[in-house]
């Protein structure tokens, strides 16, 4: 049984951890095509220090003796450059170096750790346009979103700098005279970070900045391999300039073997995994089997609920932004739009009109609002979901087609007429399809919001303050992010990010999420000459 489980996990992780790679299938195409890194219009890639072949391992030294993978541009499906992945021997070496680096890093006072994180933020500021361009080229999101994603890393660095001077446990009143009762927080040691293709910079930044000021070292595994390499170079330069071990922020580019090793490795004090619910379940089982810590940021099937008193001038841009932003490839994307029957037809008409005005094109063109899907596989998922929606009673309002142009472009799509509990409505498809549902009552809408398995983000539009507080209360939304009169996407770094149920339950970035990166000890100190024992027991 264990062997079967391990095989299934490896298969699932392989699906989750590969990029648009598949080198065995595409090797011939790569050899026949000119890599984008060699073309004059992409000379800026060379200025970033990227070449035809790039090392995919960093632990204080650069390396990579494993499989060579190729990164493809989703906007034209042409190869950008190649990266050499880690072998299992290199993974083992990297973990050992990270453990050695932790012995140095843990002795650095927290405010001085914050100073290093401040320098990382400043280094990112200096490369924000270049890195934003790389995110756009390799992931496919539009340029302004790519820059915005790097800005999130910068912002969380600023947040973490302040936090480095604030972390502490309480002094509690002891019931025994001459005793002190305190909470002590210490780092977990090595934090493993597995991030997803759709946010190749920001999600690492959320984890990395907070983990570092808590006194941890990090080991990163990611999908968008060139962004991965460039971010690591920026961070490594800061560490080297401060004469600190580079292994404090290590990386291993790899596939299922590396991901499975991280999940099973007892030396990894916390594993932060961002990805699909399906793979997250398997990761959780492996980590739990060793009683390890896990931070899971998984799927979302997010809803906007629009009541009869809503300001439709807020609703329309909110729904459009949240449903087509990043071509529907955000975990906080709005996938269900629930409209009160009195405003249903009006809102559908307005949103459909807005969809037709969305500027679709090359993601690095500043006029573009909507780019390609990340992979060809996602295009097939898009088509399959539309077929299922039609079979289950849905009506196509707009979109529904693959666009006749190079790259993985599909039309943003609106579908009406489906039952709230239709199987496809309850399925998170990571593509730009919006299911519009019609409801009658508040209780009905709240119940529909909560009936899906995921519990990440949710939003209502209303002017009724009583309804607002019912929505925020125990019988309202069961999601980790509960909004009013704003869309489901666009979370701030000061608030803890994450969700409930099949979203995994993890929290990243703001509030008290730092506690997940530390272990807590309850400490009792007897500074008296007496020894009062529990339950009043006395030994003669």
């Amino acid at each position: 049984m264990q062997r079967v489980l391990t095989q299934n996990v490896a298969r699932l992780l392989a699906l989750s951890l590969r990029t648009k790679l598949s080198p065995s299938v595409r090797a011939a195409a790569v050899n026949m095509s000119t890599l984008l890194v060699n073309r004059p219009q992409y000379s800026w890639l060379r200025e970033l220090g990227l070449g035809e072949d790039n090392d995919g391992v960093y632990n204080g030294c650069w390396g990579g003796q494993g499989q060579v993978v190729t990164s493809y541009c989703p906007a034209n499906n042409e190869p950008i450059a190649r990266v050499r992945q880690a072998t299992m021997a290199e993974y083992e070496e990297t973990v050992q170096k990270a453990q050695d680096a932790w012995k140095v890093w843990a002795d650095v006072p927290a405010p001085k750790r914050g100073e290093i994180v401040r320098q990382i933020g400043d280094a990112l500021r200096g490369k924000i346009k270049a890195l934003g361009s790389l995110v756009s080229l390799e992931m496919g999101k539009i340029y302004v979103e790519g820059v915005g994603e790097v800005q999130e890393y910068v912002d969380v660095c600023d947040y973490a700098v302040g936090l480095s001077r604030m972390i502490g446990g309480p002094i509690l009143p002891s019931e025994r005279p001459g005793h002190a009762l305190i909470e002590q927080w210490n780092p977990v040691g090595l934090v493993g970070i597995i991030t997803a293709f759709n946010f190749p910079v920001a999600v690492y930044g959320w984890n990395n900045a907070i983990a570092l000021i808590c006194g941890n070292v990090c080991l990163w595994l990611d999908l968008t391999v060139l962004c991965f390499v460039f971010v690591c170079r920026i961070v490594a330069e800061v560490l080297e300039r401060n004469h600190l071990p580079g292994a404090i922020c290590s990386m291993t580019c790899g596939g299922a073997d590396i991901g499975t090793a991280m999940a099973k490795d007892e030396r990894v004090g916390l594993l932060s995994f961002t990805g699909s619910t399906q793979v997250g379940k398997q990761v959780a089982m492996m980590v739990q089997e060793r009683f390890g810590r896990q931070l899971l940021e998984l799927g979302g099937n997010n809803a906007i609920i629009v009541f009869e008193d809503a300001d439709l001038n807020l609703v329309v841009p909110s729904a459009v932004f949240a449903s087509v932003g990043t071509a529907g490839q955000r975990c906080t994307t709005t996938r269900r739009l629930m409209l009160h029957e009195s405003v249903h037809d009006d809102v559908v008409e307005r949103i459909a009109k807005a969809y037709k005005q969305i500027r679709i094109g090359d993601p690095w063109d500043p006029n573009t609002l909507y780019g390609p899907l990340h992979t060809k596989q996602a295009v097939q998922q898009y088509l399959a979901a539309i077929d299922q929606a039609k079979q289950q009673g849905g009506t196509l309002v707009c979109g529904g087609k693959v666009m006749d142009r190079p790259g993985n472009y599909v039309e943003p799509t609106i579908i009406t007429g489906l039952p709230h509990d239709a199987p496809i409505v309850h399925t998170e498809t990571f593509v730009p399809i919006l299911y519009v549902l019609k409801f009658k009552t508040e209780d009905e809408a709240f119940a529909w919001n909560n009936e899906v398995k995921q519990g990440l983000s949710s939003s209502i539009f209303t002017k009724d303050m009583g309804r607002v507080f019912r929505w925020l209360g125990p019988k309202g939304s069961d999601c980790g992010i509960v909004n009013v009169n704003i869309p489901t996407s666009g979370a701030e770094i000061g608030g803890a990010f994450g969700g409930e149920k099949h979203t995994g339950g993890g929290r990243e970035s703001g509030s008290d999420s730092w506690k997940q990166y530390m272990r807590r000890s309850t400490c009792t100190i007897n500074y008296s000459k007496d020894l009062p024992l529990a339950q009043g027991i006395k030994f003669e």
Side-chain angles (χ1 to χ4, degrees):
M1 180 63 184
Q2 182 61 41
R3 182 179 180 186
V4 172
L5 175 61
T6 301
Q7 290 173 339
N8 287 339
V9 168
R11 178 180 58 82
L12 289 168
L13 278 170
L15 289 173
S16 179
L17 295 176
R18 71 187 178 198
T19 71
K20 49 279 160 180
L21 312 169
S22 202
S24 61
V25 175
R26 294 188 171 181
V30 175
N31 291 333
M32 293 173 63
S33 303
T34 302
L35 295 170
L36 297 188
V37 73
N38 290 328
R39 299 185 188 178
Q41 62 266 44
Y42 300 102
S43 60
W44 55 273
L45 290 171
R46 292 283 185 179
E47 295 171 7
L48 301 184
L50 298 173
E52 291 185 13
D53 295 285
N54 302 275
D55 292 332
V57 178
Y58 179 75
N59 52 31
C61 300
W62 288 93
Q65 300 297 320
Q67 186 179 28
V68 176
V69 296
T70 303
S71 179
Y72 287 81
C73 173
N76 53 32
N77 281 321
E78 295 191 49
I80 305 171
R82 295 181 291 263
V83 174
R84 293 180 292 270
Q85 293 184 321
T87 63
M88 286 306 301
E90 287 175 310
Y91 167 79
E92 179 64 29
E93 177 189 27
T94 299
V95 171
Q96 291 177 2
K97 285 188 174 183
Q99 287 185 302
D100 292 339
W102 179 79
K103 296 174 184 177
V104 175
W105 186 241
D107 285 338
V108 176
K112 292 190 180 296
R113 296 196 295 258
E115 165 59 18
I116 300 302
V117 172
R118 184 195 65 78
Q119 292 181 35
I120 292 173
D122 282 349
L124 289 163
R125 279 187 180 92
K127 300 290 179 65
I128 192 167
K129 292 183 179 180
L131 183 51
S133 296
L134 183 59
V135 171
S136 182
L137 181 71
E138 188 178 24
M139 185 271 151
K141 62 176 60 176
I142 62 175
Y143 170 73
V144 68
E145 286 186 316
V147 171
E149 181 177 342
V150 182
Q151 185 65 51
E152 286 191 43
Y153 193 170
V154 172
D155 290 344
V156 80
C157 284
D158 289 345
Y159 179 87
V161 172
L163 188 62
S164 70
R165 293 181 177 271
M166 297 171 61
I167 286 178
I171 298 175
L172 304 168
S174 175
E175 62 189 41
R176 291 173 284 193
H179 286 62
L181 187 62
I182 66 174
E183 282 188 359
Q184 174 71 30
W185 291 84
N186 288 304
V188 297
L190 174 58
V191 174
I193 305 170
I194 302 178
T195 53
F197 76 89
N198 58 333
F199 279 87
V201 175
V203 173
Y204 173 68
W206 298 344
N207 285 274
N208 174 253
I210 303 298
L212 286 180
I213 61 99
C214 289
N216 300 295
V217 296
C218 299
L219 174 57
W220 184 21
L221 174 64
D222 188 73
L223 301 176
T224 36
V225 290
L226 299 178
C227 293
F228 181 63
V229 170
F230 187 46
V231 169
C232 193
R233 285 182 179 173
I234 293 172
V235 176
E237 288 174 3
V238 173
L239 295 173
E240 291 167 4
R241 188 166 62 244
N242 286 274
H243 308 290
L244 289 165
I248 289 171
C249 294
S250 302
M251 78 165 190
T252 52
C253 178
D257 55 346
I258 303 297
T260 301
M262 290 175 67
K264 291 184 174 183
D265 197 332
E266 293 190 355
R267 296 168 296 182
V268 177
L270 168 69
L271 182 65
S272 175
F273 174 84
T274 302
S276 70
T277 297
Q278 182 186 27
V279 178
K281 285 181 180 179
Q282 304 301 323
V283 170
M285 291 174 65
M286 289 187 286
V287 176
Q288 180 57 40
E289 187 176 33
R290 61 179 175 86
F291 294 104
R293 285 192 181 201
Q294 54 196 323
L295 195 167
L296 302 175
E297 295 289 357
L298 310 177
N301 194 343
N302 315 295
I304 288 178
I305 303 174
V306 180
F307 287 93
E308 65 276 13
D309 63 341
D311 183 344
L312 300 189
N313 290 327
L314 295 178
V315 168
V316 174
S318 293
V320 173
F321 166 74
S323 56
V324 306
T326 323
Q329 298 170 111
R330 294 183 179 217
C331 54
T332 54
T333 292
T334 297
R335 310 203 181 277
R336 298 176 295 151
L337 178 61
M338 303 179 190
L339 303 175
H340 187 268
E341 58 184 1
S342 64
V343 299
H344 177 275
D345 293 350
D346 187 14
V347 173
V348 170
E349 181 180 353
R350 291 195 192 191
I351 292 179
K353 183 179 179 180
Y355 266 45
K356 294 175 183 177
Q357 299 174 27
I358 294 171
R359 297 189 297 274
I360 302 172
D362 293 337
W364 47 88
D365 183 335
N367 294 316
T368 298
L369 294 177
Y370 174 95
L373 294 178
H374 188 53
T375 63
K376 290 182 178 180
Q377 183 185 18
V379 175
Q380 296 307 311
Q381 292 172 344
Y382 166 86
L383 292 173
I386 291 172
D387 285 343
Q388 291 177 49
K390 290 178 179 178
Q391 293 170 14
Q392 293 169 25
T395 300
L396 197 66
V397 174
C398 65
K401 298 177 183 177
V402 177
M403 300 182 69
D404 184 16
R405 57 175 298 161
N408 306 319
Y409 287 88
V410 300
E411 296 176 342
T413 300
I414 300 173
I415 295 176
T416 61
L418 284 164
H420 66 91
D421 56 355
I424 191 61
V425 173
H426 281 220
T427 302
E428 183 201 23
T429 307
F430 223 58
V431 293
I433 300 176
L434 179 65
Y435 303 112
V436 180
L437 312 174
K438 185 188 295 186
F439 71 89
K440 296 178 181 293
T441 68
E442 175 185 302
D443 288 346
E444 187 175 57
F446 286 8
W448 292 2
N449 177 78
N450 296 346
E451 70 183 0
V452 296
K453 291 184 177 181
Q454 301 87 351
L456 180 52
S457 187
S458 57
S459 181
I460 63 168
F461 282 78
T462 185
K463 298 173 185 175
D464 185 331
M465 292 306 297
R467 177 178 291 138
V468 167
F469 283 96
R470 289 190 293 274
W471 172 244
L472 303 179
K475 295 182 180 179
S477 173
D478 64 359
C479 296
I481 299 171
V482 183
N483 294 334
V484 178
N485 295 330
I486 64 169
T488 56
S489 54
E492 298 184 29
I493 60 105
F497 180 89
E500 302 297 325
K501 303 188 297 188
H502 285 217
T503 299
R507 293 295 187 275
E508 292 173 328
S509 192
S511 186
D512 66 347
S513 62
W514 61 269
K515 293 181 178 179
Q516 296 191 84
Y517 301 87
M518 305 192 82
R519 56 180 178 84
R520 171 167 52 183
S521 301
T522 300
C523 309
T524 307
I525 303 166
N526 180 4
Y527 57 87
S528 74
K529 296 181 179 180
D530 298 320
L531 187 64
L533 301 177
Q535 289 85 44
I537 296 174
K538 295 183 179 180
F539 286 95
E540 299 297 334

